[in-house]
Amino acid sequence: MAGGLAEAFVERGPIRTIGVVGMGYVGIPAAVLFAEVPQYRMVYGFQRDSATSGYKISMLNRGESPLGGDEPGLAALIQKVVAAGKFSCTADFSQIASCDAVTIAIQTPFLDPSDLLPDFSALEEGIRLTGRHLSRGTLVVIESTVTPGTTAGIARRILEEESGMVAGRDFGLAHAPERVMVGRLIRNLQDHDRVVGGIDDASTARACELYSPILVQGRIIPMSATAAEVEKTAENTFRDLQIAAANQLALYCEAMGVNFYDVREGIASLKEEGVTRAILWPGAGVGGHCLTKDTYHLERGVKVLGRDLDWPEGERSLFLSARAINDFMPAHMFHLTRDGLARAGKGVACSRVAILGWAFIPNSDDARNTPSEVFRDIVVSSGGEVSVHDPWVEDYPGVTLSRDFGQVIGGADAVAIFTGHREYFSLDPAWLREATGHPHPVIVDGRNVIDPDAFIREGWVYKGIGRGDKNSHELFP
Ligand code: SAJ
């Protein structure tokens, strides 16, 4: 059968026209990088003309970027390829028939995090629209992060249903997971190695042909489609696991009265070939769109695809334990706050707690799945009052955000640092204590941002993640 597909690719000729479905933070940079490649004649960006995203079509066709935030090189590249007539955005999916290759980058959010079942509806619609207009010899590539088994499973079935053709005979199908990070989209696409996995060798080879011209430092890593899906979900699962290991050790250090950061320095000093320890950082929690979901994709994959998994009887998945530890950290921040208030002779109920940082990563306005929200809910359900400061996040449903430090800190019985925004590294203990109006306010450092001794000397009750050496300090007048 592979002969059929290889033949279909030969008949179609080299890739000249490309379609990118989904004009988001993954699709847009990919589309304009393809358009910049001399041998690619035309790139169509396919975008549904919906109420929420339809505006992108006219913006992109004017050569403007609809993406917020600073993306070095992107705006200029969009302008360049639009002016050169090599990129055009459209809601007319019938143009897919003219494409030699079509990539699909539509996100797969979890509708309700509690059920941890991803919402594939938008992605399935994109795949369906692609299948409906697919022509023989076209390569389809899924770039979205999906549960292992999706490309060769539901994606293949939808494409075959809609096109009436057979994958691996009439058209190619592959998975090439995106690995871009906001703020470095173009650079990541050019310099990160690119995992590319086809449902068969011909599809893999054609996908390598598609992506090679846009790589600068990066190299292609070919494998099967399912292996590529496992790789993507596992690369984030492993990062979540590394963070959980740091969090667990930090909790142990607190319990044993030692400074986690001293211990970490010792561990990280092991640098000899093959014995390096990649120890990450403990923190107030793990937020974002990647690490909070990709473990569950991997776990679902092994449930759906796995045959006769050999596993220690009754033992819980290490990866799910890691998720539980990371999800516990906002509760730990609450316990530190509660214990700190108790030292100041107060209870959480009727206390005012100022949260510094709503974004899930430093110096960013991205607050998806922020750990701060979990902490806020626990404080409020315990009868406390909350004020929130964030210098980057404009707004967020269900919370009042302020950039007025004095207003957020004023009257606060406790201050909890949740995000390592650069603004928080220079907090002045004397000024801050004055601003709270209390003799012994509590400071809880969730990101190792402040110097414990400077605050303790100013009369603060200090608590810090991993700071077992300081968390039971004497109280200064
Ligand atoms: N975090 C810790 N300790 C650490 C590192 C992170 O608590 O040592 C927390 C952060 O505060 C944040 C969360 O984990 O709340 C996630 O942080 P992140 O740096 O992993 O940022 P993400 O979620 O944007 O992860 C993305 C991923 N990239 C893609 O999926 C393409 C991830 O694979 C990258 O490793 C990461 O960016 C990166 O390195 O920037």
Side-chain angles (χ1 to χ4, degrees):
M1 276 311 192
L5 182 57
E7 221 174 78
F9 286 149
V10 169
E11 274 168 35
R12 185 133 200 156
I15 296 171
R16 289 283 180 265
T17 305
I18 297 166
V20 175
V21 176
M23 290 287 100
Y25 77 91
V26 175
I28 292 172
V32 294
L33 277 172
F34 283 138
E36 196 187 30
V37 173
Q39 66 260 36
Y40 293 154
R41 275 202 215 100
M42 185 63 193
V43 176
Y44 293 102
F46 294 99
Q47 174 59 53
R48 286 181 314 166
D49 193 1
S50 64
T52 50
S53 306
Y55 71 93
K56 295 179 185 176
I57 299 172
S58 52
M59 266 191 94
L60 283 163
N61 288 333
R62 287 197 304 271
E64 295 164 24
S65 169
L67 300 182
D70 178 23
E71 287 299 341
L74 181 63
L77 190 50
I78 294 173
Q79 218 158 32
K80 177 183 167 190
V81 294
V82 168
K86 291 199 66 187
F87 171 73
S88 164
C89 188
T90 176
D92 176 9
F93 279 72
S94 67
Q95 278 285 13
I96 282 180
S98 68
C99 296
D100 305 314
V102 179
T103 66
I104 304 175
I106 295 172
Q107 68 170 334
T108 54
F110 281 94
L111 261 190
D112 175 355
S114 60
D115 67 16
L116 297 174
L117 287 173
D119 173 12
F120 278 139
S121 56
L123 175 61
E124 283 185 18
E125 188 197 355
I127 295 171
R128 201 165 289 286
L129 283 167
T130 301
R132 206 164 294 160
H133 303 286
L134 203 54
S135 53
R136 190 168 183 275
T138 296
L139 169 73
V140 179
V141 184
I142 309 286
E143 292 196 348
S144 312
T145 302
V146 291
T147 303
T150 300
T151 302
I154 182 77
R156 174 184 191 144
R157 280 198 297 279
I158 292 174
L159 289 167
E160 291 184 336
E161 249 169 53
E162 291 294 333
S163 66
M165 294 193 284
V166 175
R169 186 191 71 191
D170 305 313
F171 63 90
L173 179 56
H175 179 58
E178 55 87 4
R179 308 171 104 182
V180 293
M181 278 149 268
V182 166
R184 21 192 168 148
L185 298 177
I186 294 287
R187 185 156 55 89
N188 284 169
L189 279 170
Q190 292 176 320
D191 297 347
H192 277 172
D193 291 341
R194 192 76 195 238
V195 168
V196 170
I199 60 167
D200 52 38
D201 292 347
S203 298
T204 303
R206 190 73 162 177
C208 293
E209 180 193 331
L210 171 66
Y211 287 101
S212 297
I214 65 172
L215 297 185
V216 179
Q217 308 283 341
R219 67 187 170 92
I220 296 272
I221 305 175
M223 56 185 76
S224 73
T226 303
E229 291 164 331
V230 172
E231 189 283 328
K232 170 62 189 179
T233 50
E235 74 182 29
N236 284 342
T237 298
F238 266 72
R239 183 169 172 83
D240 196 55
L241 182 61
Q242 288 174 303
I243 297 167
N247 282 330
Q248 179 165 348
L249 183 57
L251 296 173
Y252 282 17
C253 287
E254 285 180 39
M256 292 187 277
V258 304
N259 179 352
F260 165 86
Y261 297 93
D262 291 344
V263 172
R264 182 187 187 283
E265 187 179 355
I267 294 171
S269 69
L270 266 173
K271 286 197 173 58
E272 197 188 319
E273 182 57 38
V275 295
T276 304
R277 300 287 190 276
I279 179 164
L280 289 179
W281 303 93
V286 171
H289 185 64
C290 309
L291 276 57
T292 53
K293 67 176 175 52
D294 289 356
T295 297
Y296 300 113
H297 276 307
L298 182 59
E299 292 290 329
R300 286 181 63 238
V302 80
K303 287 215 175 2
V304 169
L305 278 184
R307 296 285 171 270
D308 310 323
L309 172 67
D310 191 13
W311 183 256
E313 185 64 35
E315 194 61 47
R316 174 180 153 100
S317 155
L318 172 66
F319 302 150
L320 290 177
S321 297
R323 286 273 67 237
I325 292 166
N326 290 338
D327 283 349
F328 170 70
M329 296 313 285
H332 179 58
M333 286 288 287
F334 173 76
H335 300 150
L336 290 174
T337 305
R338 177 199 60 198
D339 298 350
L341 285 168
R343 279 211 66 190
K346 299 176 183 173
V348 173
C350 310
S351 285
R352 180 185 164 105
V353 179
I355 296 175
L356 303 191
W358 196 256
F360 83 87
I361 41 177
N363 312 319
S364 162
D365 65 352
D366 196 339
R368 287 176 293 181
N369 301 307
T370 176
S372 309
E373 187 168 26
V374 178
F375 175 81
R376 186 278 310 266
D377 293 347
I378 302 173
V379 171
V380 170
S381 61
S382 306
E385 203 191 307
V386 164
S387 58
V388 184
H389 178 274
D390 194 294
W392 296 79
V393 181
E394 294 282 341
D395 50 42
Y396 188 94
V399 67
T400 304
L401 298 169
S402 167
R403 296 186 174 174
D404 176 342
F405 223 85
Q407 183 228 336
V408 171
I409 298 292
D413 302 283
V415 177
I417 302 172
F418 259 80
T419 314
H421 289 319
R422 64 170 77 97
E423 289 82 354
Y424 301 146
F425 281 78
S426 52
L427 293 174
D428 177 291
W431 178 88
L432 213 56
R433 179 183 172 194
E434 190 68 31
T436 67
H438 296 297
H440 297 297
V442 179
I443 184 103
V444 186
D445 190 354
R447 297 291 175 193
N448 191 33
V449 160
I450 60 168
D451 168 11
D453 293 328
F455 277 76
I456 292 167
R457 278 196 304 274
E458 276 299 327
W460 288 80
V461 175
Y462 170 87
K463 294 285 182 187
I465 286 187
R467 294 309 300 263
D469 59 325
K470 296 291 179 186
N471 283 348
S472 307
H473 65 84
E474 61 171 296
L475 207 48
F476 278 60

